[in-house]
Amino acid sequence: MKQGLLQEIGNGEESRVWLDNWLLSSAPRPPRYHQDAIVDLTLRVSDLIDDQTGTWDHNLVRQLIDEEDVNLVLNTKINLS
């Protein structure tokens, strides 16, 4: 049951990139990390959002997230309120 649970991310400040089920796929899950990425378990989803524009930081997402999951992340809507 836990495998299918989805955490609402809102502005992403409370959601951990690598530990929480925030990515919508066949089953909610964390994204896969890029092979060359340094995995920081304290990284928050909000850290992947550009503060200036309120949109995904495309360069950072592509640097950290596995190529197979990049589009899933970039197509996830952000709700900063």
Side-chain angles (χ1 to χ4, degrees):
M1 183 170 138
K2 185 175 181 181
Q3 199 173 32
L5 292 177
L6 174 67
Q7 177 177 336
E8 185 177 285
I9 62 166
N11 63 10
E13 290 181 11
E14 300 297 322
S15 301
R16 298 165 297 178
V17 172
W18 310 117
L19 301 174
D20 293 327
N21 293 333
W22 63 276
L23 191 61
L24 293 175
S25 186
S26 56
R29 61 176 174 80
R32 295 175 194 97
Y33 56 88
H34 191 276
Q35 183 177 350
D36 299 330
I38 296 173
V39 177
D40 174 2
L41 296 180
T42 66
L43 187 71
R44 304 289 174 176
V45 174
S46 60
D47 296 328
L48 301 176
I49 299 171
D50 184 308
D51 291 333
Q52 302 283 347
T53 63
T55 61
W56 293 109
D57 182 333
H58 287 236
N59 291 331
L60 185 57
V61 168
R62 292 181 193 287
Q63 179 183 353
L64 297 176
I65 307 291
D66 186 78
E67 188 175 325
E68 290 182 38
D69 287 343
V70 165
N71 285 334
L72 287 173
V73 172
L74 297 179
N75 289 322
T76 300
K77 293 183 182 181
I78 298 170
N79 181 3
L80 296 178
S81 57

